[in-house]
């Protein structure tokens, strides 16, 4: 179907829906690299005008990647919840935007319609929104998940303790874990990116974390972010809490990661059978990021933000405990500077939350991007206002294994303090029992606890 509009004496034609979506997207380097971005500001505005008038029903009739060739498209169409869609089924994209910003779209209603919205619908509406619109709507979304604690409650803000080490040195990782716990980080997960995908090292790291968790009765979950097939292979002998996998929004992207929907389903069932959760059974952890489909030559002509939203359809299918977009990690080829990283993060957080996902964000950048820690401070604050479920906690905000810049334990303390946010309730109670924080959430002297935790190694 051809879409067009006339502005002044110029008529802009768009050959199909995915072209409208791409041309309507705020400018970013990845879409320019793929040859998908609007050729001018005027063309971008024309595409946004066209997009605003497209009925939501059209997204169920015109797919951006053919149903026959892509299992993600089949998942999106085959699992669409028509009952949840009913309250907004008569809207255009522009009308959906207006409704989302109204008082009628409260937390309960947004939770109800989540599975009625396809990723292309939420990507489309995000393209019509200012940053404050993305923040306003995301803040209304409450997505709660549980394993050994309760994540995503209003007024709560969690941290993934990320104690990576360049050589997977056990003592080095343990030191970072102690540091993070004593700063109140780790309620989302204690999650290690391993330097290698060795089953033996993965098992050793999981055993070390589990021993610490049990010795001090820490109400959190642990994860080594190995490939999903590695996790499956070690489950009989290793204490696997969460199954991790990077995912994308096209079948070809996921193939480049060595996964498909069948493998994800197998891993979820295997993790559920371990029955390691205490307050819930959300066992999956997914990471995504704008640009992954382009870097794998697997975007099929779809803009990177719409591809990202399609990855959330994959995540949603498996009821994850955690999802996060590693927003600036892939590099300036996809998000060039601090402004593009900020916009992408707010889009990703909005789209994921609107689709019913427990969204976190790795507020990060690579050293060759046109960004710095002030940009990350700004983005961190915006995401806190937007109700982001969690961020990363890394010693000094500098990941010495992955070689990128993220957020620190101190950054999380800053956000909790200025916005009046608290850790997950079970974890907060543990922090108080350990004397790490007091009833008002303030850190206490940690010398005694530091020696106590060190004694376990």
């Amino acid at each position: 179907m051809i879409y067009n509009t006339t502005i002044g004496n110029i008529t802009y034609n768009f050959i199909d829906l995915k072209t409208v979506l791409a041309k309507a997207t705020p400018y970013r380097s990845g879409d320019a690299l793929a040859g998908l971005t609007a050729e001018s500001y005027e063309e971008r505005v024309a595409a946004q005008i066209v997009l605003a008038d497209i009925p939501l029903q059209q997204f169920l009739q015109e797919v951006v990647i053919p149903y026959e060739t892509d299992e993600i498209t089949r998942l999106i169409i085959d699992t669409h919840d028509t009952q949840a869609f009913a309250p907004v089924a008569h809207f255009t994209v522009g009308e959906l935007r207006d409704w989302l910003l109204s008082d009628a779209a409260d937390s309960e209603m947004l939770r109800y319609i989540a599975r009625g919205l396809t990723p292309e619908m939420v990507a489309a509406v995000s393209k019509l929104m200012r940053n404050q619109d993305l923040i306003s709507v995301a803040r209304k979304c409450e997505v709660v998940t549980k394993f050994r604690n309760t994540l995503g409650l209003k007024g709560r803000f969690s941290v993934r303790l990320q104690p990576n080490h360049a050589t997977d040195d056990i003592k080095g990782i343990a030191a970072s874990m102690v540091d993070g716990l004593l700063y109140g980080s780790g309620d989302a997960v204690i999650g290690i990116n391993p330097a290698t995908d060795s089953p033996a090292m993965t098992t050793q790291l999981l055993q070390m974390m589990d021993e610490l968790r049990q010795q001090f009765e820490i109400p959190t979950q642990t994860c080594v972010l190995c490939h999903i097939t590695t996790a499956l292979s070690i489950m009989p002998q290793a204490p696997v809490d969460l199954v991790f996998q990077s995912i994308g929004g096209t079948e070809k992207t996921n193939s480049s990661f060595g996964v498909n929907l069948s493998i994800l389903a197998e891993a979820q069932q295997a993790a559920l059978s371990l029955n390691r959760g205490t307050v819930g059974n959300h066992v999956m952890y997914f990471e995504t990021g704008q640009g992954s489909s382009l870097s794998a030559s697997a975007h099929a002509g779809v803009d990177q933000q719409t591809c990202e939203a399609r990855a959330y359809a994959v995540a949603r299918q498996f009821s994850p405990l955690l999802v996060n977009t590693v927003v600036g990690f892939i590099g300036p080829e996809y998000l060039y500077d601090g402004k593009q990283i900020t916009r992408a993060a707010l889009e990703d957080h909005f789209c994921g939350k609107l689709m019913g996902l427990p969204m976190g964000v790795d507020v990060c950048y690579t050293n060759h991007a046109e960004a710095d820690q002030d940009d990350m401070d700004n983005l961190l604050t915006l995401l806190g206002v937007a109700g982001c479920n969690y961020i990363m906690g890394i010693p000094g905000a500098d990941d010495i294994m992955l070689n990128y810049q993220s957020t620190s334990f101190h950054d999380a303390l800053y956000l909790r303090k200025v916005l009046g946010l608290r850790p997950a309730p079970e974890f907060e109670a543990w922090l108080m029992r350990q004397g790490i924080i007091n009833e008002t959430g303030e850190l206490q002297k940690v010398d005694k606890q530091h020696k106590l935790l060190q004694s376990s190694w």
Side-chain angles (χ1 to χ4, degrees):
M1 179 176 177
I2 296 177
Y3 301 86
N4 59 69
T5 188
T6 300
I7 301 177
N9 59 354
I10 301 176
T11 297
Y12 296 89
N13 293 300
F14 308 99
I15 60 173
D16 53 23
L17 182 57
K18 72 177 178 181
T19 301
V20 177
L21 289 166
K23 301 289 188 180
T25 306
Y27 180 84
R28 62 208 56 193
S29 54
D31 289 335
L33 182 64
L36 300 176
T37 193
E39 295 182 5
S40 65
Y41 182 85
E42 289 79 9
E43 186 183 27
R44 183 171 299 109
V45 171
Q48 290 171 340
I49 290 171
V50 168
L51 185 60
D53 289 335
I54 294 177
L56 295 183
Q57 293 279 359
Q58 183 65 20
F59 291 86
L60 301 174
Q61 306 301 319
E62 184 180 355
V63 296
V64 297
I65 301 177
Y67 181 94
E68 297 76 16
T69 62
D70 187 271
E71 69 172 358
I72 312 307
T73 299
R74 294 194 289 275
L75 173 70
I76 291 165
I77 298 301
D78 294 349
T79 63
H80 182 247
D81 188 330
T82 55
Q83 184 175 350
F85 183 54
V88 297
H90 58 291
F91 286 156
T92 63
V93 177
E95 289 169 340
L96 176 62
R97 173 194 175 274
D98 294 343
W99 179 79
L100 288 171
L101 291 166
S102 74
D103 291 338
D106 58 16
S107 296
E108 183 177 352
M109 178 56 75
L110 292 177
R111 188 180 304 112
Y112 180 82
I113 69 165
R115 288 191 172 270
L117 298 175
T118 69
E120 291 84 0
M121 292 176 192
V122 300
V125 75
S126 76
K127 298 174 193 295
L128 305 182
M129 289 182 153
R130 296 166 56 187
N131 286 0
Q132 70 170 247
D133 299 338
L134 299 172
I135 293 168
S136 296
V137 176
R139 185 175 177 83
K140 294 192 287 186
C141 298
E142 183 181 35
V143 182
V144 178
T145 56
K146 300 180 179 184
F147 190 76
R148 289 198 188 93
N149 57 23
T150 306
L151 303 172
L153 294 168
K154 292 283 188 181
R156 303 283 177 170
F157 176 72
S158 298
V159 186
R160 169 190 160 189
L161 204 173
Q162 186 171 313
N164 295 346
H165 193 279
T167 62
D168 286 339
D169 179 76
I170 291 289
K171 290 184 177 180
I173 289 171
S176 293
M177 289 170 57
V178 169
D179 196 21
L181 288 167
L182 295 177
Y183 279 106
S185 291
D187 50 342
V189 64
I190 303 175
I192 302 168
N193 295 94
T196 71
D197 207 54
S198 158
M201 178 54 71
T202 299
T203 300
Q204 187 177 355
L205 292 173
L206 284 168
Q207 289 172 340
M208 181 270 289
M209 289 191 292
D210 199 55
E211 288 170 8
L212 173 72
R213 180 190 65 78
Q214 292 193 59
Q215 181 175 351
F216 293 98
E217 300 180 329
I218 307 171
T220 191
Q221 35 284 329
T222 62
C223 183
V224 174
L225 281 67
C226 59
H227 193 270
I228 196 168
T229 54
T230 303
L232 275 167
S233 71
I234 64 174
M235 275 187 194
Q237 67 269 12
V240 176
D241 286 347
L242 306 182
V243 174
F244 168 81
Q245 183 57 48
S246 295
I247 55 173
T250 72
E251 180 177 343
K252 190 175 179 182
T253 306
N254 287 326
S255 294
S256 75
F257 293 148
V259 298
N260 56 37
L261 297 178
S262 177
I263 292 173
L264 295 175
E266 178 187 354
Q268 182 191 32
Q269 290 307 309
L272 286 170
S273 71
L274 300 177
N275 197 30
R276 292 179 57 82
T278 55
V279 298
N281 61 355
H282 296 102
V283 296
M284 303 299 283
Y285 175 18
F286 296 116
E287 282 190 347
T288 67
Q290 286 194 31
S292 60
S293 292
L294 175 57
S295 67
S297 300
H299 60 86
V302 179
D303 69 272
Q304 66 182 38
Q305 192 252 333
T306 302
C307 282
E308 172 74 3
R310 285 169 56 93
Y312 301 155
V314 177
R316 183 168 63 179
Q317 179 67 12
F318 299 101
S319 303
L321 180 78
L322 304 165
V323 179
N324 71 261
T325 167
V326 193
V327 67
F329 181 73
I330 301 182
E333 299 84 359
Y334 308 95
L335 296 169
Y336 179 74
D337 56 17
K339 181 174 182 178
Q340 291 186 20
I341 291 170
T342 296
R343 173 69 192 191
L346 295 177
E347 289 170 349
D348 294 351
H349 179 252
F350 162 87
C351 289
K353 278 290 189 69
L354 195 56
M355 290 177 64
L357 290 178
M359 286 301 296
V361 178
D362 191 343
V363 181
C364 65
Y365 65 101
T366 56
N367 288 314
H368 61 311
E370 288 294 320
D372 58 28
Q373 213 62 39
D374 285 338
D375 293 312
M376 299 304 103
D377 287 350
N378 295 341
L379 176 54
L380 172 66
T381 306
L382 293 174
L383 287 167
V385 174
C388 186
N389 279 27
Y390 70 102
I391 60 164
M392 309 303 118
I394 300 168
D398 184 4
D399 193 304
I400 61 172
M401 197 281 285
L402 293 173
N403 293 308
Y404 78 118
Q405 309 304 309
S406 186
T407 45
S408 70
F409 309 137
H410 297 80
D411 294 329
L413 289 176
Y414 147 76
L415 200 64
R416 283 173 176 166
K417 185 171 184 178
V418 298
L419 296 180
L421 301 171
R422 298 154 58 194
E426 299 90 344
F427 192 79
E428 180 183 46
W430 178 81
L431 291 171
M432 287 191 284
R433 288 196 303 271
Q434 294 294 320
I436 295 172
I437 64 172
N438 62 20
E439 291 78 4
T440 63
E442 295 176 336
L443 283 180
Q444 302 300 287
K445 291 183 179 180
V446 298
D447 291 345
K448 181 180 178 181
Q449 287 77 20
H450 200 178
K451 291 176 182 177
L452 177 67
L453 288 175
Q454 282 183 324
S455 70
S456 64
W457 293 292

